[in-house]
Amino acid sequence: MKLSIKHFFVLPALIILMFSSCSEKNIKTAEIDIIPKPVSLQKGEGVFEIDEDTKILITGPSLRKGAEIFSGIVSASSTFKPEIKLTEDGSAKSGNIIISLSGLSEKYGNEGYSLDVTPDNITIEAAAPAGAFYGLQTLRQLFPPELEKKGGKTEEWYVPAVKIFDKPEFKWRGQLLDVSRHFFPVEVLKMEIDHLSRYKMNVFHLHLTDDQGWRIEVKSYPKLTEIGAWRVDYNDLPWWKRPPQKPGEKATYGGYYTQDQIREIVQYAADRFINILPEIDVPGHSQAIIASYPELSCDEGKYFVATGGVFKDNTICPAKDVTYEFLRKVFEEIFPLFPFQYFHIGGDECNKLQWEKSPACQQLIRKEGLKDEKGLQSYFITKVEKIINGLGKKMIGWDEILQGGLAPNATVMSWRGEKGGIKSVKMEHDVVMTPNNFCYLDLKQGDPALEPPYGYSKLWISKAYSYELIPKSFNREESDRILGVQGNLWSESLQNERDINYMLFPRLLAIAEVGWTPKKNRHWDDFVKRLEYNLIRLKNLGIVYAPSMYNVNVTKDKSGKIILSTERGGLPIHYTINGPEPSVRSELYSEPIFISDTTKALKAAAFHDGKRIGRITTYVNGKIKDLYSDKDK
Ligand code: ACM
């Protein structure tokens, strides 16, 4: 049954019937709170009901996979599974969802779409399958949040009438997951890919190698996974306090992806229009490589896969032919697994200690007329770029690849702030912006005293959301060199799916919108409203996200009085002094508080609809009590 305002006027008898059936059915439609925010959106009247008769009609086989994924999502929490049918023409058909490809590539580009929901039908139009898939992701967010409920079964699904046109501002909307510092199984990567696809992100960067583990099978170098994928299990010690492996100790902790598993992940991502960007991080961060093949180090010493922390002797040797032969063979073997045109070479934080001590490196510096070890790094990266380009891929690297001169065709990922990115654009190179002060997802989402022991420092969601990718001084041509944005999740302190999700959410939604929606259309209050509706969806998915924007923060005014606030803003804060946990009946915060005796504990929390939201902040002796460590006890 489709509910249409038009029908209400035409058939009065039916009105009564419908109103009675509606109230009995308690129609639940979604709020229209789409993330990332579409380019344009007009609300219509009435709702479309999707039921067991609704079909998904597609105008070409390239649309089938996206339709199947969508149908699977609907069936996971309803009593029916929409059937998918090929159709000759894409004109609207009553009672169905019609997905069509048009020739309007000027209008839509590869990733744009229009979505039109009326009480009679739903139409999605795009110029390419990726755009149609994004139209379906938007439609997914127009369903009530129960759609995302794991194992839930709802009989009625209503979608509010709306007309949307949408396309992304930037073509690179990525997220990095560090699978070296901790190894995560294939199922966790698929979960991550699902997250990215929900918010129309399109690059999943896998940091596959580092000092603490090599994570991809290479048949021509089997020791990379026999030795390089395993380390001594010191997980009970803090990352920075772990001793190096000693001779005789067993390396049992780790893992790697077989080439078949990589194919499976790449396909799963491709079905969701996500490119997998593989990174092999050289010439630094290479301790797992030289532990496996010591001949690739400068001094051919005895190395072990790192157990945590940062180690200095972790470079491969740029003065040896075997180093380039190794990289060529590894690339030849793994490049065919990854269809994405880009390959990430790392290049960050390369410690030059070994190169300074190595006679071969020093001789090479003199022979090539290089200025110093930075020049040697540039020599290495330029040589490796030739191999990469020769094998048909574009090279991308961290902004340290600027040191000593940038390789001729390189794309730069700017992580140490935006400086490297801006400099690269001025040198006419493409750039992906991922400055750590806006995009590092391993930074804590709130006051460290109120956060669990993941990550360090802090990056609030409002700051991530405020990121303006294009510097104001850039002209059109320079702006076009900024391909997009990426959030990076390093995993030193993350061991499983739960830890990952806590650090990703809700901040990933801010990064997704930074990449999709022009800055002029992004406003914090509007984002928060849409975010909160999406938080219901995340909760239904079983995701435990950081509640940090609801936690009460403490600052002081000039006279020393205490100011209470939340990052979210606009919520009542209740507090007690030397009393029990705050409730809605406790004192309502309205102006800065003076506490004469600082040993008295101030306990404060924010409330929403009469319920506490976020954690309880306890402020005593001039600081917030640490909820997750013993240091205040
Ligand atoms: C990095 O965070 N070292 C790229």
Side-chain angles (χ1 to χ4, degrees):
M1 177 180 63
K2 311 289 172 258
L3 303 180
S4 143
I5 294 299
K6 186 179 70 194
H7 292 147
F8 282 15
F9 291 114
V10 178
L11 299 166
L14 195 60
I15 297 176
I16 298 158
L17 194 90
M18 281 188 157
F19 268 116
S20 58
S21 72
C22 290
S23 58
E24 271 165 30
K25 280 183 168 178
N26 185 22
I27 287 185
K28 268 201 213 157
T29 60
E31 285 178 22
I32 304 180
D33 281 322
I34 314 293
I35 291 181
K37 189 181 175 82
V39 171
S40 73
L41 184 155
Q42 287 123 37
K43 292 184 186 178
E45 290 197 62
V47 293
F48 176 88
E49 182 186 359
I50 177 167
D51 59 21
E52 63 279 0
D53 298 327
T54 310
K55 293 184 184 49
I56 303 177
L57 306 176
I58 53 174
T59 60
S62 62
L63 298 170
R64 180 173 291 279
K65 191 71 210 181
E68 277 172 6
I69 291 168
F70 179 78
S71 176
I73 290 164
V74 173
S75 76
S77 48
S78 73
T79 49
F80 49 88
K81 184 169 180 20
E83 187 190 341
I84 298 156
K85 288 189 115 175
L86 260 176
T87 176
E88 294 283 296
D89 77 296
S91 59
K93 288 176 195 67
S94 200
N96 292 311
I97 300 170
I98 306 100
I99 312 172
S100 67
L101 290 183
S102 78
L104 300 173
S105 47
E106 275 288 296
K107 178 175 173 188
Y108 294 121
N110 190 46
E111 300 188 307
Y113 66 92
S114 61
L115 166 66
D116 202 355
V117 180
T118 71
D120 194 52
N121 59 59
I122 295 177
T123 51
I124 292 173
E125 185 185 75
F133 182 79
Y134 293 145
L136 283 169
Q137 296 315 306
T138 297
L139 179 56
R140 183 175 178 181
Q141 285 190 37
L142 289 171
F143 279 82
E146 286 77 12
L147 179 72
E148 307 289 1
K149 210 161 201 151
K150 267 191 185 158
K153 288 280 175 217
T154 305
E155 278 165 30
E156 288 123 26
W157 290 115
Y158 298 96
V159 182
V162 69
K163 202 176 179 58
I164 290 173
F165 169 73
D166 203 9
K167 66 202 284 198
E169 181 73 354
F170 292 98
K171 59 175 171 248
W172 187 300
R173 304 176 303 280
Q175 192 228 305
L176 170 146
L177 182 67
D178 173 3
V179 295
S180 173
R181 271 51 175 271
H182 282 97
F183 174 71
F184 302 106
V186 171
E187 289 317 308
V188 173
L189 300 196
K190 287 186 176 172
M191 169 201 80
E192 268 267 34
I193 291 166
D194 286 341
H195 293 335
L196 298 178
S197 72
R198 192 174 295 117
Y199 301 108
K200 307 187 179 88
M201 298 179 82
N202 63 3
V203 178
F204 188 28
H205 176 166
L206 291 181
H207 183 73
L208 286 167
T209 71
D210 213 302
D211 298 331
Q212 292 83 5
W214 176 282
R215 305 289 177 218
I216 178 169
E217 178 188 26
V218 179
K219 294 189 168 99
S220 50
Y221 289 95
K223 284 195 261 177
L224 288 172
T225 45
E226 285 164 13
I227 295 172
W230 307 96
R231 66 176 183 246
V232 178
D233 186 348
Y234 279 125
N235 282 339
D236 52 338
L237 292 177
W239 183 262
W240 302 105
K241 294 199 175 145
R242 295 179 187 174
Q245 180 176 341
K246 289 175 272 306
E249 277 186 309
K250 285 244 171 331
T252 55
Y253 183 79
Y256 64 92
Y257 305 109
T258 64
Q259 294 190 359
D260 279 344
Q261 286 176 320
I262 292 285
R263 281 188 199 93
E264 184 184 338
I265 294 159
V266 166
Q267 188 57 51
Y268 191 84
D271 288 343
R272 289 153 182 81
F273 299 91
I274 291 170
N275 285 302
I276 300 287
L277 172 68
E279 178 184 351
I280 303 289
D281 196 353
V282 287
H285 288 277
S286 295
Q287 196 158 315
I289 301 177
I290 56 177
S292 311
Y293 293 97
E295 61 270 33
L296 298 174
S297 68
C298 290
D299 66 358
E300 306 195 3
K302 176 77 187 144
Y303 293 97
F304 293 106
V305 176
T307 54
V310 165
F311 294 85
K312 289 187 178 136
D313 288 338
N314 60 353
T315 49
I316 55 173
C317 186
K320 288 183 174 177
D321 289 343
V322 284
T323 300
Y324 300 98
E325 187 186 309
F326 165 79
L327 290 173
R328 172 183 290 284
K329 280 200 183 150
V330 169
F331 296 163
E332 278 172 353
E333 203 177 313
I334 69 168
F335 280 6
L337 301 171
F338 298 99
F340 196 28
Q341 58 178 316
Y342 288 94
F343 167 75
H344 202 300
I345 192 63
D348 58 322
E349 301 174 315
C350 175
N351 193 298
K352 315 288 192 312
L353 216 65
Q354 286 224 344
W355 300 1
E356 284 162 18
K357 287 191 294 197
S358 153
C361 287
Q362 294 308 313
Q363 198 189 351
L364 183 60
I365 288 175
R366 285 193 298 277
K367 180 172 153 239
E368 294 292 328
L370 306 170
K371 194 156 164 268
D372 51 16
E373 286 73 22
K374 285 184 180 167
L376 185 53
Q377 159 143 333
S378 171
Y379 167 89
F380 169 85
I381 295 282
T382 302
K383 205 163 156 157
V384 174
E385 185 186 54
K386 276 208 191 94
I387 302 175
I388 292 168
N389 291 166
L391 293 170
K393 293 245 185 254
K394 291 184 181 177
M395 186 185 77
I396 185 165
W398 300 113
D399 58 60
E400 286 94 331
I401 65 172
L402 280 155
Q403 290 172 358
L406 191 50
N409 308 313
T411 299
V412 172
M413 216 171 237
S414 190
W415 75 277
R416 294 175 305 167
E418 293 162 282
K419 263 197 335 276
I422 293 170
K423 188 169 171 194
S424 306
V425 166
K426 298 286 179 196
M427 293 162 73
E428 301 187 354
H429 285 252
D430 288 347
V431 164
V432 174
M433 284 295 196
T434 180
N436 48 8
N437 49 338
F438 287 101
C439 297
Y440 265 37
L441 300 170
D442 56 333
L443 272 54
K444 290 178 186 288
Q445 295 182 71
D447 190 300
L450 300 172
E451 292 297 315
Y454 306 135
Y456 61 102
S457 188
K458 62 185 178 193
L459 167 61
W460 290 12
I461 184 172
S462 53
K463 171 126 193 240
Y465 188 68
S466 73
Y467 184 38
E468 166 76 276
L469 260 148
I470 307 279
K472 291 218 169 16
S473 63
F474 272 18
N475 61 30
R476 180 78 246 166
E477 202 184 316
E478 289 168 335
S479 306
D480 287 347
R481 290 227 174 255
I482 306 258
L483 303 181
V485 67
Q486 185 169 291
N488 293 340
L489 186 56
W490 302 98
S491 65
E492 285 90 341
S493 60
L494 314 177
Q495 295 192 31
N496 53 41
E497 174 181 335
R498 186 202 56 216
D499 302 352
I500 289 176
N501 281 338
Y502 185 89
M503 291 310 272
L504 281 181
F505 292 110
R507 220 167 15 186
L508 185 71
L509 281 70
I511 305 262
E513 191 151 307
V514 167
W516 186 276
T517 309
K519 173 78 172 148
K520 65 177 181 342
N521 295 343
R522 289 193 264 127
H523 308 285
W524 173 247
D525 287 346
D526 164 60
F527 176 66
V528 165
K529 175 178 167 294
R530 287 177 291 116
L531 179 65
E532 288 184 333
Y533 200 59
N534 273 275
L535 292 182
I536 306 173
R537 295 180 190 279
L538 294 180
K539 200 166 167 206
N540 283 341
L541 280 162
I543 291 173
V544 178
Y545 55 82
S548 322
M549 70 174 186
Y550 297 114
N551 293 344
V552 174
N553 298 309
V554 180
T555 51
K556 282 190 178 167
D557 70 8
K558 282 199 197 95
S559 67
K561 285 185 184 163
I562 289 166
I563 300 170
L564 302 180
S565 63
T566 60
E567 183 188 17
R568 151 74 166 76
L571 292 173
I573 294 172
H574 294 271
Y575 66 95
T576 60
I577 297 173
N578 235 19
E581 289 188 349
S583 71
V584 274
R585 285 175 301 283
S586 309
E587 194 80 33
L588 176 68
Y589 174 79
S590 58
E591 57 183 38
I593 310 161
F594 177 69
I595 304 178
S596 56
D597 180 355
T598 55
T599 63
K600 287 188 174 166
L602 167 87
K603 294 188 187 132
F607 289 79
H608 192 47
D609 287 343
K611 289 205 193 88
R612 176 162 68 80
I613 187 166
R615 305 197 164 100
I616 297 174
T617 296
T618 302
Y619 184 79
V620 63
N621 291 328
K623 63 183 174 108
I624 295 180
K625 202 168 152 61
D626 199 318
L627 285 182
Y628 292 91
S629 90
D630 290 338
K631 57 179 191 273
D632 291 328
K633 291 194 183 129

